[in-house]
Amino acid sequence: MDSLLEEEDEEVPAVVGKRRKRRRRRSPSAQAALQPPLCLPFLPQLPVSSNEHKLNFTKSKEVCLRYIQDALLQKQWKRAAEFLTCYVEALEKDYSREHIGPSEMIWRIGTEILWHHSQSSMKEFSCFMEQMKTLGVKRYLKVCLEHVFHLLCNGQIDEAYQNLSLAESWRFGEQTAIQDKEMKLIQAYRGLLDYHNWSKQKNILLENGEDGFSDLAVEQEMHGYFRKAAVNLKEIIKIPGVWDVFVKCYVDLLEFYGDHNEAHQVLNEYAYNSKFPANPNAHVYLYQFLKRQGESKKSLISALKILHDIVPSHELMIDFNTMLQKSKKRKKRRLGLEVIFTALDYAGWKENAKAWSCLARQMKQIVISEKHLDWIKQEWNSRKDWWPAFHFSRYLAKRNWQENKNLSYEKALVAGILLGKDCKYFKYVSHQGCKAQLKRFRMLKKFVNRHNLVYLRISGPPDSSVQP
């Protein structure tokens, strides 16, 4: 960006005035205050040939666009608006000589300026959007969608719904067919607002409780919104894509009216159809639905297994580990250990007390039974070079003890099993626990000392380079 600004400093004086010496860069606010009055490098109106005019106009346009870009990057919204105004005026003056179609650029730059400008209002924004809709029919529906998003961000839901309805009725020859995808989105967002209205009526109905004439009117209105929302939401989720919000709303509608089979089918399709992009949320929604319906553990595990393959650090991995640990099948319990070890590889899980509790509980069971120590060894082999510094340093022992004693207890148990009684994390926490006369920490220390040989079997000969 510095080179771009330096080019501007060299080009502007050649057109506007005498060459100035290059000065040191100032802060954006100081620079804005010291910048000269608006003076764009438009060329004098002299008789020129067609080719010369094109060359001169192109050069002026490029320099002006660089000024706009610079103002946007420095968040000088007022100055950017001035440059954009002059840019549009220049295009209008030159329109008779050469057809230029910069409407998308004007739309995107203008939208950015109006969104951030301190003196901009929603009324001005809407006026600008209406102008952009008429400026280029090829982007009509995209502009409509962006207008709707801004209205929703400002809480103007009724106005947004009106705009969606108008956009849905828009027709312009072959352009209507070309913008079919945008039209589907228009319909989908209208369905989303119908769902919003349905949800409001549902809450009113649930609050009133007793049946009556007023409740009957509310229920009829609610069913009307349901029908309109269901039609549009159902259509958009047939198209391969990521439609999380639409799927959730459609499933909510189906569940409320007891159509659980249809809801299950929709979620299955969304999660397992190979035409749709891989989407962790699709499996989360399926799992949550199955859980609400009281489906079997096998079905729940199947849904979470795929989620684990896509996002092994997802928060639902604790649920997954818990179900796997309770399984009677050795293969699933082995997978459960792998799941929780893998989750704790991620920094976001370092201080998750539930995760450490799950790992500590399963490891303690294995150590007591002296069965499947090879499971722990297999998981530890790929981690023993970095987990001690990542999880079990003396610094972390002090911090965990001060902030969360339950967390420090679970981690100390794991550290003692994996690194033995001489591990700095275990020694610090167990010492502090005994000093505070906490019974479970005394029992923790006895447990690790009694099973210290397990550490040798898991880790082999101690490696001083690994010890924290």
Side-chain angles (χ1 to χ4, degrees):
M1 190 58 208
D2 288 341
S3 61
L4 184 65
L5 293 170
E6 287 170 8
E7 289 175 11
E8 282 184 15
D9 289 339
E10 292 170 4
E11 288 185 14
V12 174
V15 179
V16 180
K18 294 180 180 180
R19 185 179 298 276
R20 297 190 300 270
K21 291 182 180 179
R22 187 176 298 169
R23 293 176 293 184
R24 285 187 295 176
R25 299 292 303 280
R26 296 181 174 85
S27 66
S29 57
Q31 198 174 21
L34 293 172
Q35 284 191 18
L38 185 63
C39 188
L40 295 177
F42 295 131
L43 300 173
Q45 297 295 325
L46 299 174
V48 291
S49 67
S50 177
N51 288 337
E52 285 177 325
H53 172 79
K54 288 179 181 179
L55 181 63
N56 293 339
F57 178 77
T58 301
K59 184 179 179 181
S60 297
K61 184 182 73 171
E62 288 174 356
V63 173
C64 186
L65 284 174
R66 286 209 299 272
Y67 279 127
I68 294 172
Q69 183 185 41
D70 185 48
L72 289 173
L73 291 174
Q74 296 186 56
K75 299 183 180 180
Q76 298 173 350
W77 309 113
K78 183 178 178 181
R79 192 167 183 82
E82 291 171 351
F83 281 125
L84 182 60
T85 301
C86 292
Y87 177 70
V88 173
E89 288 174 357
L91 292 176
E92 289 173 348
K93 289 176 184 177
D94 199 79
Y95 190 79
S96 59
R97 301 191 187 189
E98 181 182 2
H99 179 72
I100 299 172
S103 57
E104 182 169 9
M105 191 181 299
I106 295 170
W107 160 43
R108 295 200 181 278
I109 293 173
T111 301
E112 191 71 14
I113 292 170
L114 285 170
W115 183 248
H116 291 94
H117 201 293
S118 59
Q119 296 178 3
S120 173
S121 67
M122 197 60 217
K123 183 179 179 181
E124 288 173 330
F125 188 91
S126 293
C127 288
F128 175 76
M129 282 303 201
E130 292 302 329
Q131 288 177 312
M132 291 301 101
K133 289 174 189 178
T134 58
L135 193 59
V137 293
K138 292 182 179 180
R139 284 170 294 279
Y140 179 84
L141 293 180
K142 284 184 180 179
V143 177
C144 288
L145 277 170
E146 184 159 31
H147 189 190
V148 167
F149 294 153
H150 282 279
L151 288 168
L152 291 174
C153 287
N154 284 271
Q156 299 182 19
I157 296 175
D158 293 337
E159 290 82 354
Y161 191 89
Q162 258 184 344
N163 274 267
L164 287 169
S165 298
L166 288 171
E168 193 174 1
S169 63
W170 177 77
R171 298 292 181 271
F172 198 91
E174 63 179 14
Q175 285 299 325
T176 309
I178 292 171
Q179 298 181 58
D180 181 60
K181 288 183 180 178
E182 287 82 0
M183 183 61 78
K184 294 286 186 188
L185 278 172
I186 292 285
Q187 293 167 344
Y189 277 100
R190 195 166 74 85
L192 199 62
L193 293 186
D194 283 322
Y195 167 82
H196 171 76
N197 289 326
W198 171 85
S199 184
K200 284 201 305 184
Q201 298 302 318
K202 180 190 74 171
N203 291 335
I204 291 171
L205 195 64
L206 293 175
E207 285 172 8
N208 289 344
E210 297 296 328
D211 292 333
F213 292 111
S214 59
D215 290 344
L216 182 60
V218 169
E219 190 172 355
Q220 287 176 344
E221 191 175 2
M222 186 178 82
H223 289 329
Y225 285 127
F226 161 73
R227 286 191 293 272
K228 289 189 286 186
V231 169
N232 286 323
L233 294 175
K234 186 176 183 178
E235 285 303 309
I236 193 68
I237 62 178
K238 289 178 181 177
I239 304 169
V242 179
W243 309 119
D244 290 354
V245 65
F246 304 113
V247 169
K248 286 184 70 176
C249 293
Y250 186 51
V251 168
D252 188 27
L253 290 170
L254 294 173
E255 281 193 90
F256 183 81
Y257 289 101
D259 198 348
H260 302 298
N261 290 335
E262 174 70 11
H264 194 177
Q265 187 178 341
V266 166
L267 290 170
N268 263 328
E269 184 76 6
Y270 192 53
Y272 297 124
N273 190 329
S274 59
K275 293 180 181 179
F276 284 74
N279 180 4
N281 288 340
H283 302 281
V284 173
Y285 301 151
L286 178 59
Y287 166 75
Q288 291 171 341
F289 172 80
L290 294 173
K291 193 174 180 180
R292 287 196 300 270
Q293 298 302 311
E295 294 290 337
S296 65
K297 288 287 191 290
K298 183 179 180 181
S299 300
L300 297 175
I301 288 173
S302 177
L304 290 180
K305 175 66 173 69
I306 299 175
L307 179 63
H308 172 257
D309 294 340
I310 302 172
V311 188
S313 60
H314 196 279
E315 61 184 7
L316 284 174
M317 291 306 103
I318 290 179
D319 288 15
F320 190 32
N321 168 267
T322 302
M323 285 189 286
L324 291 170
Q325 280 192 43
K326 291 178 180 179
S327 175
K328 295 180 179 179
K329 294 184 178 179
R330 186 174 63 178
K331 186 178 179 181
K332 288 185 178 178
R333 294 199 305 276
R334 171 70 184 89
L335 176 60
L337 187 67
E338 178 189 336
V339 165
I340 204 64
F341 260 107
T342 303
L344 288 166
D345 286 342
Y346 293 86
W349 286 70
K350 286 184 73 171
E351 297 180 358
N352 190 314
K354 285 185 178 180
W356 285 106
S357 176
C358 288
L359 180 58
R361 182 168 59 251
Q362 190 168 6
M363 286 180 62
K364 188 175 182 180
Q365 290 171 354
I366 291 172
V367 168
I368 292 172
S369 66
E370 295 189 1
K371 294 178 180 178
H372 311 308
L373 287 175
D374 56 313
W375 293 357
I376 300 177
K377 187 171 185 177
Q378 287 168 13
E379 295 300 326
W380 183 235
N381 280 341
S382 61
R383 295 173 172 86
K384 62 184 178 182
D385 292 333
W386 62 279
W387 259 41
F390 188 62
H391 285 307
F392 304 129
S393 67
R394 184 177 176 82
Y395 166 76
L396 285 174
K398 289 181 179 179
R399 195 178 80 179
N400 293 158
W401 174 259
Q402 290 172 356
E403 295 178 357
N404 190 337
K405 289 180 175 53
N406 288 331
L407 171 66
S408 64
Y409 172 84
E410 304 295 353
K411 283 185 70 175
L413 177 55
V414 173
I417 294 171
L418 294 175
L419 293 165
K421 63 183 181 180
D422 293 326
C423 167
K424 290 181 180 180
Y425 190 100
F426 168 75
K427 286 176 71 176
Y428 180 86
V429 171
S430 60
H431 175 72
Q432 293 297 323
C434 293
K435 189 177 176 182
Q437 297 184 349
L438 299 174
K439 183 179 178 181
R440 63 173 180 161
F441 284 92
R442 290 199 300 271
M443 294 176 66
L444 165 67
K445 190 173 183 178
K446 288 180 182 178
F447 179 85
V448 172
N449 287 336
R450 187 164 56 249
H451 296 93
N452 197 52
L453 290 176
V454 170
Y455 150 67
L456 298 175
R457 291 174 62 182
I458 292 172
S459 300
D463 185 349
S464 59
S465 65
V466 173
Q467 281 292 326

